[in-house]
DNA sequence: CTTACTGCAAACCATTTGCACGATC
DNA sequence: GATCGTGCAAATGGTTTGCAGTAAG
């Protein structure tokens, strides 16, 4: 082998094998496109871009592929996106814990001190009005519940 | 007056006046319901609950009311929710800045040290797999852009 | 009495599902 | 060659819009 650091494509093929997913031209194209994407694209956007390479690919394939990739944690999703809008009666500064399994959101008091600072370049270029820390994980109830479920790949953080 | 601290209902009526919104039984019911709601409900859920009091209220009214409340910052929304799903090629620990106006999401390197800690009770009850700081505000381009737009109420934070 | 709000219906958009054909392993 | 993936089409679910009737200020 002559590649000391594993390139993304290799990681992709490896992950597919680990999860019994076949390596198809469509999946490869979607993966490559997403890896070169700068800004957290929607399925729609990935579809339009991939289409320049694989002119006959369907939207459904792109969407299913992205969902599948997220399921095996090859990629991530922006928390909240793709789910029905939810309202928050509390407009004061506070944090959230979201259960990735059941979707329940629990409020957290913000840290007594040491609120995460707005980075200087961001404060200069944005009119920042809101800040929140979002934790994702599996709640007690869902841990107890045995139902088979997607994304179980990720490891606990400290 | 005999109310030293302003109660929520009063705040509601005041905010309505400030924004030329009429105080209707429907709006009042939606507001009261949301204020007593524990868990970041969807429009659908608020609708079902409000319906127990105002049996003839329509879903559309509930939904529009919630949207209107969010627009004038009487309530908040869970970031990302209600928008098309977006994918993130980067699975490593990083933060996000979201422009509330155009929706663009920009990545931020996580703080060098002092990552927001998972509160102890949460670490005990959740299998936490992911943590992110989310800033919301208006990006340069959108600040320059004059188009009239909703939510412009909130003040800059530091 | 003016202007905004509500309720109903239809439109819209993103996402999901079922199925037959085709491709990968 | 068996199984999984793809593409098409239709269904679904949440959200949005237009409009005529109704109510708040």
């Amino acid at each position: 082998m002559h590649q000391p650091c594993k390139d993304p494509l290799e990681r992709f093929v490896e992950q597919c094998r680990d999860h019994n997913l076949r390596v198809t031209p469509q999946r490869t194209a979607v993966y490559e496109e997403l890896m070169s994407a700068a800004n957290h694209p929607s399925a729609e956007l990935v579809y339009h871009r991939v289409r320049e390479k694989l002119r006959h690919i369907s939207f459904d394939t792109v969407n299913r592929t992205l969902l599948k990739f997220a399921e095996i944690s090859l990629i991530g999703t922006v928390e909240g996106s793709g789910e029905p809008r939810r309202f928050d009666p509390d407009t004061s500064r506070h944090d959230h814990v979201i259960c990735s399994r059941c979707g329940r959101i629990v409020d957290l008091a913000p840290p007594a001190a040491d609120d995460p600072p707005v980075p200087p370049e961001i404060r200069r270029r944005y009119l920042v009005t809101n800040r929140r820390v979002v934790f994702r994980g599996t709640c007690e109830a869902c841990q107890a519940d045995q139902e088979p479920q997607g994304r179980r790949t990720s490891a606990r953080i400290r």
Side-chain angles (χ1 to χ4, degrees), chain A residues 62-116:
Chain A
V62 173
N63 194 40
R64 265 186 290 216
T65 298
L66 290 167
L67 254 16
K68 184 57 85 175
F69 286 171
E71 189 186 315
I72 67 171
S73 298
L74 221 200
I75 65 177
T77 62
V78 175
E79 39 287 329
S81 67
E83 285 156 44
R85 175 179 287 111
R86 295 172 69 172
F87 298 90
D88 193 340
D90 184 357
T91 56
S92 67
R93 163 85 185 88
H94 66 282
D95 295 331
H96 281 164
V97 195
I98 309 176
C99 175
S100 321
R101 189 97 176 276
C102 65
R104 193 172 298 260
I105 301 175
V106 171
D107 284 340
L108 243 45
D114 298 323
D115 235 5

Side-chain angles (χ1 to χ4, degrees), chain A residues 6-117:
Chain A
K6 193 174 304 178
D7 82 306
L9 240 294
E10 207 173 312
R11 177 166 175 252
F12 161 66
V13 174
E14 190 178 290
Q15 287 283 312
C16 282
R17 256 198 287 272
D18 288 359
H19 292 273
N20 281 309
L21 301 183
R22 294 181 176 166
V23 177
T24 66
Q26 290 92 336
R27 284 188 178 148
T28 308
V30 168
Y31 183 77
E32 287 182 326
E33 176 48 49
L34 192 67
M35 283 304 141
S36 73
N39 269 59
H40 316 269
S42 62
E44 186 67 28
L45 188 55
V46 175
Y47 169 58
H48 282 303
R49 291 207 189 130
V50 165
R51 214 145 186 256
E52 287 163 20
K53 290 188 176 175
L54 262 62
R55 253 170 305 156
H56 292 310
I57 197 171
S58 73
F59 171 79
D60 307 72
T61 298
V62 173
N63 194 40
R64 265 186 290 216
T65 298
L66 290 167
L67 254 16
K68 184 57 85 175
F69 286 171
E71 189 186 315
I72 67 171
S73 298
L74 221 200
I75 65 177
T77 62
V78 175
E79 39 287 329
S81 67
E83 285 156 44
R85 175 179 287 111
R86 295 172 69 172
F87 298 90
D88 193 340
D90 184 357
T91 56
S92 67
R93 163 85 185 88
H94 66 282
D95 295 331
H96 281 164
V97 195
I98 309 176
C99 175
S100 321
R101 189 97 176 276
C102 65
R104 193 172 298 260
I105 301 175
V106 171
D107 284 340
L108 243 45
D114 298 323
D115 235 5

